[in-house]
Amino acid sequence: MTDIGNLARHSAREIAEKVRRRELSALEVARFFLERIQRLDPRVKAFLRVFPKEAEGAAKKIDEKVSRGEPVGRLAGVPVAIKDNILVEGTETTCASKILEGFVAPYDASVVQKLKQEDAILIGKTNLDEFAMGSSTENSAYFPTRNPWDLRRVPGGSSGGSAAAVACRMAPLALGSDTGGSIRQPAALCGVVGLKPTYGAVSRYGLIAFASSLDQIGPLANDVADLALLFRVIGGHDPKDSTSLAGAPADEELTRLKPQISGLRIGLPREYFTTDLDREVAQAVERAAKNMEKLGARLSQVSLPHTRYAVSTYYLIAPSEASANLARFDGIRYGPSLLKNGKDTASLSLETLYEENRGRGFGPEVKRRIMLGTYALSSGYYQAYYGQAQKARTLIRQDFEAVFQNVDLLLTPTAPTAAFLFGEKTSNPLQMYLSDALTIPANLAGLCGLSLPCGKTGAGAPIGLQLLGPPLQELRLLQAAFAYQESFSWEPCPLS
Ligand code: GLN
């Protein structure tokens, strides 16, 4: 029999297998993780909402299916935490913003539907930087999430709640979204693995949009094989998302991932190993590169000359798209609406009403982005800013196309530093923006990329390495990451 106390160390694959074989009941699994959330989350604060009743109800249904001898899905009984910008029917979805307070999702995001089809258990909604804008989860309108490795430090962002929940095993798996690094950077800072799929490989239907040409939903997990499994479940073409790719992976090899790195050509882009990099981070990533060489990878130096334009390009394109996407939130039906508060609004013009509602509903970072984006798109400046940024975006993409003629994957640090202290970067937005300097280019170019642990700082904070691949090369990326992971011993987060 399975020692239930040990469940936190089980992979998602093991849990599903044991539920299928009736060595564990889905209900025991759900209760175990719900209890863990109850015990640990008051310290970590990864969840905005937890679904104990719904989770137990879904678990019971899976156990009934198993006992009737019916087939169950790939994620049978596996709890999954969902970032709160992804819709789950009948539950509140706020994007950690006051403006969406009280908004109950009328339908499931396509990824959520797929999780349900595979018998996963939706355990709760996780915290994020408001509308996924940020790198530390300090921009949540509700509360910051703490890094489970060191509660004085940030978990990264914007998917900080998802990364923290997976790191201290309040859920074996989670979904995040990555517009400029929001899966990979918190994965690095929390010592877990996170994948940003190729643009279009996972449906965005039911993801509340931040910057539509960059946003991508993706998985977070504690090991690479679990990451591949969750990607397999959520990936694939979706007719409800017009940007979803027809040839997106439905590869069964993802569900039984094999390590494979020997003979792979891995490039180290010079521009990602600059003096801005924390010394301990640089050393850990260089050590990891040597390990991969020992495993049979062929390393070479490469150059992506337009890298230095990536952050400024992103901070024109992402806010421009955000200013358009967020124009729909008027505070009339949800949020801190003046109408709702029973105030006498008859004397207000419609414009004043919107201004009041949006003024109250959005936090400072979101307002900053809306203003930046509106300015960049305004008629006199459109060519000078937005037009120019689009040209730079093309150059960045072409850099990658050129290097991928000669190498299979790229290896870089995920973030320039390990987890920083609360408040360390909040007074200087530019400093915060630079935490994503190494992840942003992949979004601008539509590539796939992942982050996985490769060491710790002297102070015990996890360090992540990033692997990038050409569009739709997730399988190769995951196989290489798996091979590296197997060669490297990683002590999981001690919080329990
Ligand atoms: N930190 C970046 C930003 O603030 C990226 C966010 C994201 O990927 N959602 O925009």
Side-chain angles (χ1 to χ4, degrees):
M1 257 333 271
T2 304
D3 172 12
I4 192 92
N6 220 359
L7 256 188
R9 297 283 167 256
H10 277 50
S11 68
R13 302 178 316 289
E14 285 166 330
I15 293 175
E17 191 53 38
K18 288 188 172 176
V19 167
R20 208 173 290 135
R21 291 210 230 111
R22 300 179 75 166
E23 287 169 32
L24 267 178
S25 75
L27 188 60
E28 288 177 286
V29 176
R31 288 192 174 147
F32 174 85
F33 284 99
L34 287 165
E35 187 276 328
R36 232 178 130 76
I37 293 172
Q38 214 171 39
R39 193 156 43 82
L40 300 181
D41 206 42
R43 277 177 277 168
V44 177
K45 301 181 91 60
F47 286 90
L48 286 169
R49 251 156 278 113
V50 183
F51 308 137
K53 267 217 299 301
E54 295 81 351
E56 290 191 5
K60 282 182 194 154
K61 285 202 181 117
I62 293 162
D63 288 332
E64 284 162 18
K65 268 209 231 176
V66 175
S67 62
R68 286 196 300 264
E70 288 172 24
V72 285
R74 291 181 175 84
L75 292 176
V78 179
V80 184
I82 314 283
K83 186 177 182 178
D84 200 33
N85 57 354
I86 298 172
L87 304 188
V88 175
E89 187 180 342
T91 71
E92 196 183 1
T93 299
T94 62
C95 288
S97 178
K98 297 277 181 201
I99 202 133
L100 277 170
E101 206 163 69
F103 165 63
V104 174
Y107 61 89
D108 278 332
S110 292
V111 289
V112 168
Q113 226 170 34
K114 290 182 179 196
L115 288 175
K116 289 182 176 172
Q117 274 159 14
E118 297 294 343
D119 291 320
I121 307 284
L122 307 179
I123 199 140
K125 301 297 291 289
T126 54
N127 199 17
L128 62 151
D129 288 294
E130 185 176 357
F131 284 103
M133 296 174 187
S135 309
S136 66
T137 320
E138 288 167 293
N139 293 339
S140 165
Y142 297 95
F143 43 78
T145 296
R146 302 201 186 102
N147 191 316
W149 290 82
D150 178 347
L151 300 173
R152 296 165 309 158
R153 294 181 187 274
V154 303
S158 64
S159 311
S162 290
V166 170
C168 63
R169 319 268 173 151
M170 293 191 284
L173 298 174
L175 291 185
S177 67
D178 191 312
T179 304
S182 278
I183 291 175
R184 290 161 288 159
Q185 185 259 15
L189 271 47
C190 288
V192 301
V193 291
L195 171 73
K196 183 209 101 66
T198 304
Y199 184 74
V202 174
S203 169
R204 289 183 295 112
Y205 182 73
L207 169 71
I208 297 181
F210 161 12
S212 313
S213 77
L214 302 158
D215 294 342
Q216 202 44 213
I217 294 177
L220 292 114
N222 270 300
D223 74 61
V224 176
D226 274 4
L227 193 71
L229 173 63
L230 184 53
F231 172 60
R232 165 66 186 81
V233 166
I234 60 172
H237 177 67
D238 178 10
K240 291 184 185 140
D241 172 359
S242 61
T243 61
S244 146
L245 292 172
D251 205 322
E252 270 319 301
E253 278 182 80
L254 289 164
T255 58
R256 288 180 303 274
L257 196 71
K258 300 255 162 35
Q260 180 60 263
I261 197 169
S262 183
L264 272 192
R265 297 165 303 168
I266 298 184
L268 302 165
R270 187 171 307 135
E271 293 78 4
Y272 285 62
F273 292 86
T274 61
T275 47
D276 303 336
L277 212 56
D278 176 84
R279 194 178 42 85
E280 289 179 298
V281 171
Q283 284 169 353
V285 174
E286 278 156 20
R287 228 177 5 248
K290 293 219 176 75
N291 273 348
M292 293 194 193
E293 199 165 31
K294 281 197 205 121
L295 295 169
R298 299 191 340 242
L299 302 188
S300 61
Q301 291 270 340
V302 296
S303 173
L304 297 160
H306 298 96
T307 302
R308 66 178 185 279
Y309 302 116
V311 172
S312 25
T313 301
Y314 173 87
Y315 277 99
L316 287 168
I317 292 176
S320 296
E321 294 185 17
S323 72
N325 279 326
L326 271 55
R328 73 190 65 169
F329 301 116
D330 54 16
I332 300 291
R333 290 175 64 189
Y334 328 107
S337 163
L338 283 181
L339 288 175
K340 235 176 43 188
N341 295 342
K343 292 241 171 67
D344 176 19
T345 50
S347 58
L348 296 179
S349 70
L350 188 61
E351 201 175 329
T352 313
L353 185 62
Y354 285 167
E355 272 173 16
E356 288 284 331
N357 287 344
R358 286 166 66 85
R360 279 158 221 249
F362 290 129
E365 183 60 29
V366 177
K367 286 180 185 158
R368 184 154 41 239
R369 306 275 178 119
I370 293 174
M371 286 191 287
L372 256 171
T374 309
Y375 185 78
L377 292 177
S378 57
S379 65
Y381 297 102
Y382 183 89
Q383 267 317 321
Y385 292 117
Y386 186 75
Q388 202 63 16
Q390 290 295 14
K391 288 183 194 159
R393 182 177 188 171
T394 302
L395 293 173
I396 290 164
R397 203 193 58 231
Q398 288 170 345
D399 278 357
F400 283 110
E401 283 166 3
V403 297
F404 284 132
Q405 300 287 321
N406 302 313
V407 298
D408 301 304
L409 300 176
L410 295 167
L411 168 66
T412 81
T414 307
T417 64
F420 41 93
L421 296 167
F422 284 100
E424 205 177 313
K425 302 195 181 188
T426 36
S427 57
N428 185 346
L430 190 58
Q431 263 304 313
M432 190 71 93
Y433 295 174
L434 291 174
S435 337
D436 298 301
L438 311 177
T439 45
I440 278 173
N443 300 77
L444 291 169
L447 312 176
C448 57
L450 63 74
S451 176
L452 81 161
C454 68
K456 285 184 206 146
T457 63
I463 297 172
L465 73 80
Q466 175 174 237
L467 287 172
L468 298 174
L472 294 178
Q473 293 298 311
E474 277 86 353
L475 181 60
R476 180 178 281 172
L477 193 68
L478 288 157
Q479 286 172 331
F482 196 21
Y484 171 73
Q485 179 192 268
E486 289 205 321
S487 74
F488 172 77
S489 82
W490 179 250
E491 272 305 306
C493 174
L495 187 73
S496 63

